[in-house]
Amino acid sequence: SGRKNTSQTVNIKSSEAASKIGSNAVVTGYVADVTIREKVAYLNFDGKYPKNTFTAVVFADKFDYFGDLMVYKNKTVEVKGKIGQYSGKPQIILNNKSQIKVLN
């Protein structure tokens, strides 16, 4: 929609997330890789780690909410949340399936 949103959410591409740390955002991008470990899963955008521009993170205590995270691999998705930073990279932690949506 063309009209300005009254809330402070910014709509950005995953490649722009590094400049928006601390913002509430809807981040759109391509999930190039999904890495699932025992305690945490990473959806890496635009490239495999460490070439990724942005990461969506799901901790193991939330795995049940999401089901198979591999469904997001090689898809363009949007994720919503507050952009944090870990090891110099922007990330959003996903606590709820409503925070991620497959666009195609």
Side-chain angles (χ1 to χ4, degrees):
S1 66
R3 58 174 202 265
K4 270 212 182 303
N5 199 326
T6 50
S7 73
Q8 294 294 303
T9 301
V10 292
N11 289 279
I12 58 171
K13 293 193 204 59
S14 48
S15 58
E16 300 169 311
S19 64
K20 299 289 184 187
I21 287 162
S23 303
N24 286 309
V26 176
V27 179
T28 304
Y30 176 77
V31 179
D33 194 36
V34 176
T35 301
I36 300 173
R37 302 222 169 95
E38 192 184 343
K39 293 183 175 3
V40 65
Y42 303 100
L43 281 63
N44 291 315
F45 284 66
D46 301 312
K48 294 189 176 186
Y49 180 85
K51 299 248 196 283
N52 56 310
T53 60
F54 170 77
T55 308
V57 181
V58 180
F59 289 102
D61 62 345
K62 300 290 193 291
F63 283 177
D64 287 352
Y65 292 140
F66 289 89
D68 182 11
L69 289 164
M70 282 297 174
V71 300
Y72 299 112
K73 188 171 177 174
N74 301 328
K75 302 278 193 211
T76 299
V77 305
E78 75 178 29
V79 294
K80 292 180 195 149
K82 191 176 172 110
I83 301 177
Q85 192 174 355
Y86 184 78
S87 295
K89 292 257 187 198
Q91 66 173 27
I92 288 178
I93 294 169
L94 302 179
N95 294 306
N96 198 305
K97 203 166 179 179
S98 65
Q99 285 176 271
I100 185 165
K101 183 168 92 182
V102 174
L103 301 180
N104 65 40

XYZ file of all heavy atoms in Angstrom:
808
model
N 0.844 -1.198 0.000
C 0.000 0.000 0.000
C 0.875 1.242 0.000
O 1.929 1.259 0.612
C -0.919 0.008 1.217
O -0.147 0.134 2.389
N 0.419 2.287 -0.669
C 1.232 3.482 -0.820
C 1.203 4.389 0.392
O 2.090 5.192 0.582
N 0.190 4.247 1.245
C 0.122 5.207 2.351
C 1.079 4.832 3.472
O 1.392 3.667 3.673
C -1.302 5.334 2.861
C -1.935 4.068 3.348
C -3.294 4.407 3.944
N -3.683 3.345 4.859
C -4.450 2.318 4.513
N -4.913 2.219 3.289
N -4.742 1.390 5.394
N 1.514 5.841 4.172
C 2.511 5.635 5.211
C 1.912 4.886 6.396
O 0.801 5.158 6.817
C 3.048 6.986 5.698
C 4.243 7.478 4.933
C 5.133 8.287 5.858
C 6.346 8.869 5.176
N 7.219 7.952 4.524
N 2.690 3.969 6.907
C 2.271 3.220 8.074
C 2.559 4.061 9.318
O 3.645 4.610 9.453
C 3.073 1.910 8.112
C 2.427 0.874 8.984
O 1.815 1.217 9.997
N 2.565 -0.378 8.605
N 1.599 4.149 10.209
C 1.802 4.986 11.395
C 2.755 4.336 12.389
O 3.422 5.023 13.145
C 0.466 5.281 12.103
O -0.223 4.045 12.289
C -0.387 6.223 11.288
N 2.824 3.002 12.383
C 3.798 2.347 13.250
C 5.182 2.503 12.630
O 5.323 2.896 11.484
C 3.452 0.878 13.437
O 3.729 0.163 12.257
N 6.193 2.142 13.396
C 7.564 2.390 12.963
C 8.161 1.222 12.171
O 9.369 1.095 12.096
C 8.439 2.656 14.196
C 8.071 3.932 14.934
C 8.352 5.163 14.085
O 9.461 5.391 13.648
N 7.338 5.975 13.853
N 7.340 0.374 11.606
C 7.863 -0.775 10.861
C 8.371 -0.335 9.496
O 7.692 0.392 8.786
C 6.770 -1.841 10.688
O 6.323 -2.239 11.981
C 7.295 -3.062 9.964
N 9.581 -0.781 9.165
C 10.139 -0.484 7.846
C 10.066 -1.739 6.985
O 10.202 -2.853 7.472
C 11.601 0.013 7.938
C 11.656 1.381 8.605
C 12.516 -0.971 8.644
N 9.799 -1.540 5.697
C 9.788 -2.642 4.735
C 11.084 -2.586 3.947
O 11.331 -1.601 3.244
C 8.595 -2.497 3.785
C 7.296 -2.785 4.485
O 6.917 -3.931 4.652
N 6.621 -1.742 4.942
N 11.903 -3.625 4.082
C 13.227 -3.600 3.456
C 13.542 -4.945 2.822
O 12.929 -5.968 3.120
C 14.330 -3.240 4.474
C 14.338 -4.236 5.640
C 14.179 -1.807 4.964
C 15.531 -4.089 6.563
N 14.557 -4.929 1.969
C 15.124 -6.157 1.436
C 16.152 -6.688 2.441
O 16.756 -5.907 3.191
C 15.850 -5.873 0.118
C 14.967 -5.451 -1.028
C 15.804 -5.543 -2.311
C 15.299 -4.647 -3.427
N 15.260 -3.225 -3.068
N 16.388 -7.985 2.385
C 17.361 -8.587 3.300
C 18.743 -7.949 3.160
O 19.458 -7.792 4.146
C 17.441 -10.096 3.079
O 17.576 -10.400 1.711
N 19.093 -7.532 1.947
C 20.405 -6.913 1.728
C 20.546 -5.558 2.417
O 21.646 -5.045 2.579
C 20.668 -6.757 0.231
O 19.644 -5.987 -0.371
N 19.413 -4.974 2.834
C 19.445 -3.660 3.503
C 19.373 -3.768 5.026
O 19.441 -2.762 5.723
C 18.238 -2.827 3.033
C 18.201 -2.582 1.542
C 16.871 -1.997 1.069
O 15.798 -2.515 1.426
O 16.917 -1.005 0.327
N 19.237 -4.990 5.528
C 18.959 -5.161 6.957
C 20.085 -4.655 7.858
O 19.830 -4.170 8.966
C 18.667 -6.633 7.266
N 21.313 -4.735 7.384
C 22.450 -4.319 8.213
C 22.377 -2.848 8.599
O 22.878 -2.448 9.646
C 23.767 -4.612 7.495
N 21.717 -2.051 7.758
C 21.625 -0.617 8.055
C 20.410 -0.289 8.919
O 20.181 0.868 9.246
C 21.570 0.183 6.754
O 20.385 -0.141 6.044
N 19.639 -1.315 9.303
C 18.385 -1.081 10.038
C 18.346 -1.826 11.374
O 17.267 -2.118 11.897
C 17.195 -1.552 9.187
C 17.065 -0.821 7.865
C 16.610 0.601 8.037
C 16.398 1.280 6.697
N 16.121 2.708 6.844
N 19.523 -2.130 11.931
C 19.552 -2.848 13.205
C 18.852 -2.020 14.279
O 19.036 -0.818 14.374
C 21.002 -3.213 13.576
C 21.463 -4.350 12.662
C 21.124 -3.618 15.046
C 22.932 -4.549 12.594
N 17.998 -2.678 15.050
C 17.211 -1.994 16.076
C 15.824 -1.606 15.609
O 14.982 -1.235 16.424
N 15.565 -1.712 14.304
C 14.257 -1.346 13.762
C 13.309 -2.536 13.792
O 13.728 -3.684 13.670
C 14.381 -0.914 12.298
O 15.284 0.143 12.152
N 12.018 -2.233 13.922
C 10.997 -3.229 13.626
C 10.822 -3.231 12.125
O 10.643 -2.181 11.517
C 9.684 -2.886 14.318
C 9.778 -3.174 15.798
O 10.169 -4.264 16.205
N 9.438 -2.200 16.613
N 10.875 -4.421 11.528
C 10.933 -4.474 10.074
C 10.178 -5.671 9.516
O 9.982 -6.680 10.195
C 12.390 -4.541 9.610
N 9.772 -5.512 8.268
C 9.358 -6.631 7.435
C 10.482 -6.777 6.412
O 10.715 -5.876 5.602
C 8.010 -6.367 6.748
C 7.659 -7.528 5.816
C 6.914 -6.153 7.776
N 11.191 -7.890 6.489
C 12.373 -8.112 5.659
C 12.036 -9.156 4.600
O 11.601 -10.255 4.924
C 13.558 -8.604 6.512
C 14.785 -8.862 5.636
C 13.892 -7.591 7.610
N 12.216 -8.783 3.343
C 11.932 -9.684 2.241
C 13.239 -10.124 1.602
O 14.115 -9.289 1.341
C 11.060 -8.980 1.185
O 9.879 -8.506 1.810
C 10.686 -9.942 0.065
N 13.358 -11.429 1.373
C 14.573 -11.906 0.728
C 14.497 -13.371 0.382
O 13.513 -14.060 0.651
N 15.584 -13.831 -0.225
C 15.694 -15.191 -0.720
C 16.469 -16.037 0.286
O 17.583 -15.669 0.675
C 16.413 -15.159 -2.071
C 16.684 -16.517 -2.664
C 15.650 -17.237 -3.278
C 17.948 -17.078 -2.612
C 15.889 -18.480 -3.832
C 18.194 -18.332 -3.168
C 17.162 -19.030 -3.770
O 17.392 -20.264 -4.310
N 15.884 -17.139 0.710
C 16.548 -18.033 1.662
C 17.461 -18.973 0.879
O 17.008 -19.921 0.242
C 15.524 -18.826 2.497
C 16.246 -19.765 3.466
C 14.605 -17.884 3.262
N 18.749 -18.676 0.920
C 19.727 -19.435 0.148
C 20.108 -20.733 0.843
O 20.525 -21.692 0.190
C 20.972 -18.585 -0.078
N 19.967 -20.762 2.159
C 20.436 -21.919 2.909
C 19.695 -22.007 4.233
O 19.378 -20.978 4.836
C 21.943 -21.769 3.161
C 22.585 -23.064 3.628
O 22.174 -24.135 3.149
O 23.484 -22.998 4.475
N 19.419 -23.231 4.652
C 18.835 -23.475 5.970
C 19.753 -24.439 6.709
O 20.065 -25.510 6.199
C 17.414 -24.076 5.865
C 16.856 -24.420 7.239
C 16.477 -23.115 5.134
N 20.216 -24.017 7.881
C 21.101 -24.850 8.696
C 20.385 -25.162 9.998
O 19.994 -24.237 10.722
C 22.418 -24.106 9.001
O 23.054 -23.779 7.767
C 23.357 -24.958 9.843
N 20.202 -26.454 10.264
C 19.491 -26.850 11.478
C 20.458 -27.596 12.381
O 21.050 -28.601 11.996
C 18.264 -27.732 11.137
C 17.308 -26.947 10.232
C 17.567 -28.187 12.429
C 16.153 -27.748 9.686
N 20.625 -27.061 13.580
C 21.483 -27.695 14.579
C 20.610 -28.129 15.746
O 19.412 -27.874 15.766
C 22.542 -26.691 15.056
C 23.393 -26.165 13.923
C 24.866 -26.077 14.295
N 25.680 -25.821 13.109
C 26.072 -24.611 12.727
N 25.732 -23.555 13.421
N 26.814 -24.471 11.654
N 21.234 -28.726 16.724
C 20.477 -29.262 17.852
C 19.719 -28.171 18.607
O 18.563 -28.344 18.966
C 21.456 -29.968 18.794
C 20.783 -30.803 19.854
C 21.775 -31.427 20.833
O 22.990 -31.483 20.514
O 21.325 -31.827 21.910
N 20.368 -27.032 18.822
C 19.778 -25.997 19.663
C 19.191 -24.807 18.908
O 18.505 -23.975 19.483
C 20.829 -25.468 20.655
C 21.267 -26.497 21.683
C 22.231 -25.850 22.642
C 22.699 -26.645 23.815
N 22.308 -28.003 24.009
N 19.527 -24.719 17.621
C 19.142 -23.518 16.880
C 19.135 -23.812 15.386
O 19.854 -24.692 14.921
C 20.109 -22.346 17.211
C 21.517 -22.630 16.743
C 19.606 -21.025 16.663
N 18.292 -23.077 14.662
C 18.281 -23.181 13.199
C 18.470 -21.789 12.616
O 18.020 -20.790 13.184
C 16.970 -23.776 12.719
N 19.140 -21.751 11.470
C 19.427 -20.496 10.786
C 18.879 -20.542 9.373
O 19.173 -21.475 8.626
C 20.938 -20.256 10.693
C 21.641 -20.254 12.024
C 22.337 -21.376 12.468
C 21.618 -19.120 12.837
C 22.991 -21.377 13.690
C 22.268 -19.116 14.063
C 22.953 -20.238 14.485
O 23.584 -20.233 15.702
N 18.110 -19.533 9.022
C 17.702 -19.331 7.636
C 18.575 -18.203 7.111
O 18.434 -17.045 7.541
C 16.223 -18.945 7.552
C 15.193 -20.079 7.691
C 15.254 -20.748 9.048
C 13.793 -19.555 7.450
N 19.522 -18.554 6.247
C 20.495 -17.581 5.747
C 20.028 -17.015 4.415
O 19.726 -17.765 3.487
C 21.865 -18.242 5.597
C 22.465 -18.590 6.946
O 22.435 -17.793 7.871
N 23.001 -19.790 7.073
N 19.980 -15.689 4.350
C 19.436 -15.001 3.182
C 20.533 -14.580 2.219
O 21.593 -14.128 2.642
C 18.663 -13.754 3.633
C 17.305 -14.056 4.226
C 17.189 -14.746 5.424
C 16.151 -13.649 3.577
C 15.945 -15.023 5.967
C 14.896 -13.920 4.116
C 14.794 -14.620 5.317
N 20.249 -14.731 0.940
C 21.058 -14.219 -0.177
C 22.352 -14.984 -0.426
O 22.932 -14.873 -1.494
C 21.365 -12.720 -0.031
C 20.084 -11.891 0.039
O 19.196 -12.109 -0.796
O 19.971 -11.050 0.940
N 22.803 -15.748 0.537
C 24.011 -16.544 0.356
C 24.185 -17.459 1.538
O 23.588 -17.245 2.584
N 25.003 -18.502 1.357
C 25.297 -19.380 2.481
C 26.214 -18.652 3.456
O 27.000 -17.798 3.057
C 25.972 -20.661 1.990
C 25.033 -21.504 1.143
C 25.621 -22.868 0.845
C 24.593 -23.688 0.087
N 25.008 -25.062 -0.134
N 26.100 -19.021 4.728
C 27.004 -18.472 5.733
C 28.435 -18.761 5.308
O 28.718 -19.866 4.870
C 26.704 -19.124 7.093
C 27.579 -18.617 8.203
C 27.230 -17.452 8.879
C 28.751 -19.275 8.538
C 28.049 -16.970 9.891
C 29.577 -18.793 9.534
C 29.217 -17.637 10.206
O 30.012 -17.141 11.192
N 29.370 -17.830 5.389
C 29.261 -16.479 5.974
C 28.944 -15.382 4.967
O 29.091 -14.211 5.281
C 30.668 -16.275 6.551
C 31.562 -16.967 5.556
C 30.757 -18.141 5.017
N 28.490 -15.768 3.772
C 28.194 -14.767 2.742
C 26.760 -14.225 2.842
O 26.349 -13.411 2.028
C 28.399 -15.383 1.345
C 29.809 -15.859 1.065
C 30.448 -14.989 0.016
C 31.693 -15.573 -0.610
N 32.869 -15.474 0.241
N 26.016 -14.718 3.837
C 24.631 -14.264 3.983
C 24.576 -12.793 4.394
O 25.463 -12.294 5.085
C 23.893 -15.129 5.005
C 24.575 -15.172 6.356
O 25.772 -15.422 6.460
N 23.827 -14.910 7.395
N 23.513 -12.120 3.963
C 23.334 -10.711 4.318
C 22.489 -10.549 5.579
O 22.516 -9.510 6.222
C 22.610 -9.953 3.190
O 21.330 -10.566 2.979
C 23.409 -9.970 1.900
N 21.732 -11.606 5.914
C 20.716 -11.515 6.969
C 20.353 -12.939 7.363
O 20.456 -13.851 6.549
C 19.492 -10.765 6.407
C 18.282 -10.791 7.297
C 18.212 -9.981 8.409
C 17.205 -11.622 6.999
C 17.086 -10.009 9.226
C 16.079 -11.650 7.805
C 16.020 -10.836 8.932
N 19.946 -13.111 8.616
C 19.577 -14.443 9.104
C 18.287 -14.371 9.911
O 18.109 -13.468 10.726
C 20.687 -15.005 10.018
O 21.933 -14.928 9.347
C 20.426 -16.455 10.396
N 17.407 -15.330 9.669
C 16.265 -15.554 10.558
C 16.626 -16.751 11.427
O 17.098 -17.768 10.930
C 14.993 -15.817 9.765
N 16.423 -16.599 12.733
C 16.902 -17.574 13.707
C 15.713 -18.179 14.441
O 14.804 -17.465 14.875
C 17.830 -16.884 14.738
C 18.371 -17.888 15.754
C 18.975 -16.167 14.032
N 15.729 -19.510 14.560
C 14.706 -20.207 15.346
C 15.427 -21.073 16.371
O 16.265 -21.903 16.013
C 13.810 -21.103 14.462
C 12.754 -21.818 15.308
C 13.141 -20.291 13.353
N 15.104 -20.866 17.652
C 15.709 -21.686 18.696
C 14.925 -22.987 18.871
O 13.736 -23.072 18.547
C 15.796 -20.904 20.001
C 16.837 -19.813 19.946
C 16.466 -18.495 19.759
C 18.190 -20.115 20.027
C 17.425 -17.486 19.678
C 19.155 -19.118 19.940
C 18.767 -17.806 19.769
N 15.607 -23.998 19.398
C 15.056 -25.349 19.454
C 13.732 -25.427 20.207
O 12.872 -26.238 19.865
C 16.073 -26.299 20.083
N 13.551 -24.576 21.216
C 12.296 -24.641 21.972
C 11.090 -24.194 21.146
O 9.945 -24.388 21.548
C 12.383 -23.847 23.287
C 12.637 -22.364 23.087
O 13.033 -21.956 21.975
O 12.440 -21.594 24.041
N 11.355 -23.630 19.961
C 10.275 -23.195 19.072
C 10.137 -24.080 17.828
O 9.276 -23.845 16.999
C 10.520 -21.749 18.621
C 10.595 -20.730 19.754
C 9.243 -20.510 20.405
C 9.179 -19.304 21.313
N 9.940 -19.388 22.532
N 11.011 -25.085 17.699
C 10.990 -25.925 16.490
C 9.603 -26.510 16.231
O 9.157 -26.585 15.094
C 11.995 -27.075 16.594
C 13.442 -26.691 16.359
C 14.438 -27.640 16.495
C 13.819 -25.399 16.002
C 15.780 -27.312 16.288
C 15.144 -25.059 15.799
C 16.127 -26.026 15.943
N 8.916 -26.935 17.300
C 7.604 -27.562 17.135
C 6.591 -26.632 16.470
O 5.702 -27.090 15.766
C 7.045 -28.010 18.491
C 7.770 -29.232 19.028
O 8.598 -29.812 18.290
O 7.511 -29.607 20.179
N 6.713 -25.338 16.724
C 5.770 -24.368 16.130
C 5.920 -24.279 14.620
O 4.982 -23.947 13.917
C 5.999 -22.959 16.684
C 5.661 -22.762 18.134
C 6.474 -21.976 18.940
C 4.524 -23.329 18.702
C 6.175 -21.771 20.274
C 4.219 -23.129 20.031
C 5.051 -22.353 20.818
O 4.753 -22.156 22.132
N 7.140 -24.525 14.142
C 7.450 -24.252 12.744
C 7.388 -25.483 11.851
O 7.198 -25.352 10.653
C 8.838 -23.604 12.636
C 8.859 -22.199 13.144
C 9.117 -21.919 14.475
C 8.582 -21.129 12.304
C 9.115 -20.616 14.953
C 8.577 -19.823 12.766
C 8.845 -19.577 14.095
N 7.555 -26.667 12.435
C 7.622 -27.856 11.597
C 8.921 -27.867 10.807
O 9.940 -27.367 11.275
N 8.866 -28.394 9.596
C 10.079 -28.567 8.798
C 10.557 -27.231 8.232
O 9.966 -26.694 7.303
C 9.798 -29.551 7.660
C 11.038 -29.813 6.813
O 12.141 -29.411 7.233
O 10.892 -30.407 5.736
N 11.649 -26.726 8.793
C 12.173 -25.437 8.335
C 12.780 -25.508 6.939
O 12.955 -24.481 6.289
C 13.206 -24.918 9.335
C 12.612 -24.446 10.666
C 13.699 -24.318 11.717
C 11.870 -23.126 10.502
N 13.076 -26.711 6.469
C 13.635 -26.858 5.123
C 12.663 -26.376 4.037
O 13.087 -26.108 2.913
C 14.015 -28.320 4.857
C 15.315 -28.733 5.507
S 16.717 -27.792 4.836
C 18.037 -28.338 5.904
N 11.387 -26.268 4.367
C 10.425 -25.794 3.352
C 10.738 -24.365 2.901
O 10.299 -23.941 1.832
C 8.956 -25.863 3.831
C 8.562 -27.292 4.181
C 8.681 -24.921 4.986
N 11.496 -23.636 3.707
C 11.809 -22.245 3.360
C 13.034 -22.118 2.455
O 13.279 -21.051 1.896
C 12.010 -21.408 4.630
C 10.777 -21.387 5.489
C 10.749 -22.009 6.739
C 9.617 -20.748 5.056
C 9.605 -21.992 7.524
C 8.466 -20.732 5.832
C 8.466 -21.355 7.058
O 7.327 -21.345 7.827
N 13.779 -23.203 2.311
C 15.000 -23.131 1.499
C 14.650 -22.869 0.036
O 13.714 -23.447 -0.499
C 15.798 -24.437 1.636
C 17.158 -24.353 0.969
C 18.016 -25.569 1.311
C 19.328 -25.469 0.565
N 20.243 -26.530 0.957
N 15.424 -21.997 -0.587
C 15.239 -21.628 -2.003
C 13.893 -20.954 -2.269
O 13.386 -20.995 -3.386
C 15.416 -22.838 -2.931
C 16.785 -23.468 -2.790
O 17.753 -22.778 -2.512
N 16.848 -24.764 -2.959
N 13.343 -20.316 -1.249
C 12.096 -19.562 -1.406
C 12.359 -18.098 -1.096
O 13.263 -17.756 -0.337
C 11.030 -20.048 -0.417
C 10.690 -21.513 -0.535
C 9.703 -21.752 -1.635
C 9.141 -23.144 -1.545
N 8.785 -23.696 -2.824
N 11.534 -17.253 -1.700
C 11.517 -15.851 -1.304
C 10.482 -15.726 -0.189
O 9.339 -16.154 -0.345
C 11.155 -14.953 -2.492
O 12.153 -15.136 -3.506
C 11.131 -13.487 -2.078
N 10.916 -15.187 0.927
C 10.042 -15.097 2.097
C 10.070 -13.682 2.662
O 10.955 -12.881 2.339
C 10.450 -16.096 3.210
C 10.504 -17.522 2.690
C 11.770 -15.715 3.847
N 9.078 -13.406 3.510
C 9.176 -12.185 4.309
C 9.115 -12.583 5.767
O 8.371 -13.484 6.159
C 8.118 -11.145 3.915
C 6.742 -11.398 4.351
C 5.758 -10.287 3.946
O 5.952 -9.592 2.923
O 4.777 -10.156 4.677
N 9.957 -11.933 6.558
C 9.975 -12.153 7.993
C 9.756 -10.829 8.701
O 10.216 -9.779 8.239
C 11.274 -12.832 8.488
C 11.397 -14.240 7.964
C 12.496 -12.035 8.133
N 9.039 -10.910 9.819
C 8.697 -9.711 10.581
C 9.316 -9.804 11.960
O 9.308 -10.870 12.571
C 7.182 -9.632 10.798
C 6.398 -9.381 9.571
C 4.908 -9.312 9.913
C 4.130 -9.417 8.634
N 2.853 -10.050 8.758
N 9.803 -8.685 12.438
C 10.324 -8.659 13.798
C 11.303 -7.528 13.975
O 11.467 -6.681 13.102
N 11.958 -7.541 15.130
C 12.950 -6.519 15.425
C 14.307 -7.032 14.973
O 14.690 -8.152 15.302
C 12.963 -6.234 16.920
C 13.775 -5.012 17.266
C 13.675 -4.711 18.755
C 14.636 -3.604 19.108
N 13.967 -2.369 19.450
N 14.997 -6.213 14.220
C 16.310 -6.614 13.724
C 17.348 -6.454 14.828
O 17.575 -5.356 15.324
C 16.725 -5.794 12.491
C 15.690 -5.969 11.376
C 18.119 -6.225 12.009
C 15.979 -5.140 10.143
N 17.927 -7.568 15.200
C 19.030 -7.565 16.154
C 20.327 -7.824 15.419
O 20.371 -7.852 14.180
N 21.374 -8.034 16.197
C 22.685 -8.221 15.594
C 23.404 -9.319 16.344
O 23.339 -9.392 17.575
C 23.468 -6.914 15.708
C 24.725 -6.878 14.894
C 25.382 -5.514 14.929
O 24.833 -4.573 15.492
N 26.555 -5.389 14.363
N 24.084 -10.183 15.615
C 24.887 -11.232 16.227
C 26.131 -11.395 15.373
O 26.025 -11.574 14.159
C 24.098 -12.542 16.294
C 24.836 -13.642 17.013
C 24.900 -13.653 18.402
C 25.483 -14.636 16.310
C 25.589 -14.646 19.069
C 26.179 -15.637 16.969
C 26.227 -15.633 18.345
O 26.908 -16.619 19.011
N 27.285 -11.299 15.995
C 28.570 -11.385 15.275
C 28.601 -10.450 14.076
O 29.071 -10.814 13.002
C 28.828 -12.818 14.807
O 28.975 -13.654 15.918
N 28.057 -9.261 14.245
C 28.113 -8.256 13.197
C 27.092 -8.413 12.090
O 27.051 -7.614 11.168
N 26.263 -9.454 12.172
C 25.253 -9.682 11.127
C 23.860 -9.383 11.664
O 23.550 -9.693 12.811
C 25.246 -11.154 10.701
C 26.481 -11.589 9.969
C 26.232 -11.699 8.492
C 27.475 -12.309 7.860
N 27.566 -12.124 6.465
N 23.018 -8.810 10.804
C 21.637 -8.571 11.222
C 20.828 -9.864 11.257
O 21.026 -10.754 10.435
C 21.097 -7.634 10.135
C 21.920 -7.945 8.929
C 23.280 -8.354 9.436
N 19.958 -9.950 12.249
C 19.114 -11.143 12.364
C 17.773 -10.776 12.974
O 17.643 -9.761 13.661
C 19.789 -12.203 13.230
C 19.942 -11.798 14.691
C 20.461 -12.929 15.576
O 21.154 -13.828 15.124
N 20.122 -12.868 16.851
N 16.789 -11.615 12.700
C 15.511 -11.556 13.409
C 15.273 -12.930 14.012
O 15.422 -13.951 13.321
C 14.345 -11.161 12.475
C 14.436 -9.679 12.102
C 12.984 -11.450 13.147
C 13.350 -9.192 11.150
N 14.936 -12.947 15.289
C 14.597 -14.205 15.956
C 13.109 -14.462 15.759
O 12.276 -13.596 16.034
C 14.963 -14.141 17.444
C 16.490 -14.030 17.590
C 14.438 -15.374 18.190
C 16.970 -13.697 18.983
N 12.793 -15.643 15.252
C 11.404 -16.019 15.010
C 10.887 -16.841 16.181
O 11.440 -17.891 16.505
C 11.295 -16.845 13.724
C 11.800 -16.186 12.439
C 11.633 -17.143 11.269
C 11.074 -14.882 12.173
N 9.824 -16.339 16.815
C 9.204 -17.047 17.932
C 7.859 -17.631 17.549
O 7.272 -18.404 18.296
C 9.014 -16.100 19.114
C 10.350 -15.649 19.668
O 11.197 -16.467 19.997
N 10.555 -14.351 19.742
N 7.354 -17.233 16.402
C 5.992 -17.552 16.041
C 5.919 -17.699 14.527
O 6.523 -16.908 13.796
C 5.120 -16.379 16.493
C 3.681 -16.760 16.569
O 3.098 -17.241 15.603
N 3.091 -16.532 17.725
N 5.160 -18.687 14.065
C 5.089 -18.940 12.618
C 4.481 -17.756 11.874
O 4.713 -17.576 10.688
C 4.293 -20.214 12.365
C 4.629 -20.824 11.031
C 4.127 -22.244 10.891
C 4.494 -22.770 9.515
N 4.060 -24.150 9.322
N 3.708 -16.934 12.573
C 3.104 -15.759 11.906
C 4.163 -14.733 11.487
O 3.879 -13.820 10.737
C 2.103 -15.092 12.838
O 2.751 -14.564 13.971
N 5.408 -14.900 11.969
C 6.470 -13.958 11.624
C 7.118 -14.268 10.285
O 7.953 -13.478 9.814
C 7.576 -13.982 12.698
C 7.211 -13.274 13.981
C 8.323 -13.429 14.992
O 8.361 -14.377 15.776
N 9.275 -12.506 14.967
N 6.755 -15.386 9.659
C 7.384 -15.738 8.376
C 6.314 -16.156 7.383
O 5.356 -16.840 7.733
C 8.461 -16.838 8.548
C 9.187 -17.097 7.235
C 7.878 -18.113 9.155
C 10.483 -17.887 7.393
N 6.504 -15.699 6.153
C 5.540 -16.001 5.105
C 6.284 -16.244 3.808
O 7.175 -15.468 3.441
C 4.595 -14.805 4.955
C 3.486 -15.008 3.952
C 2.432 -13.904 4.097
C 2.743 -12.749 3.165
N 1.796 -11.649 3.298
N 5.950 -17.333 3.101
C 6.552 -17.616 1.804
C 5.827 -16.786 0.743
O 4.608 -16.800 0.671
C 6.442 -19.120 1.456
C 6.953 -19.376 0.033
C 7.229 -19.962 2.449
N 6.594 -16.056 -0.052
C 6.016 -15.239 -1.117
C 5.961 -16.023 -2.420
O 5.033 -15.839 -3.204
C 6.811 -13.952 -1.296
C 6.894 -13.068 -0.041
C 7.709 -11.828 -0.341
C 5.509 -12.679 0.449
N 6.976 -16.840 -2.677
C 6.907 -17.714 -3.857
C 7.887 -18.874 -3.695
O 8.740 -18.849 -2.864
C 7.205 -16.935 -5.148
C 8.631 -16.412 -5.193
O 9.564 -17.092 -4.787
N 8.808 -15.200 -5.686
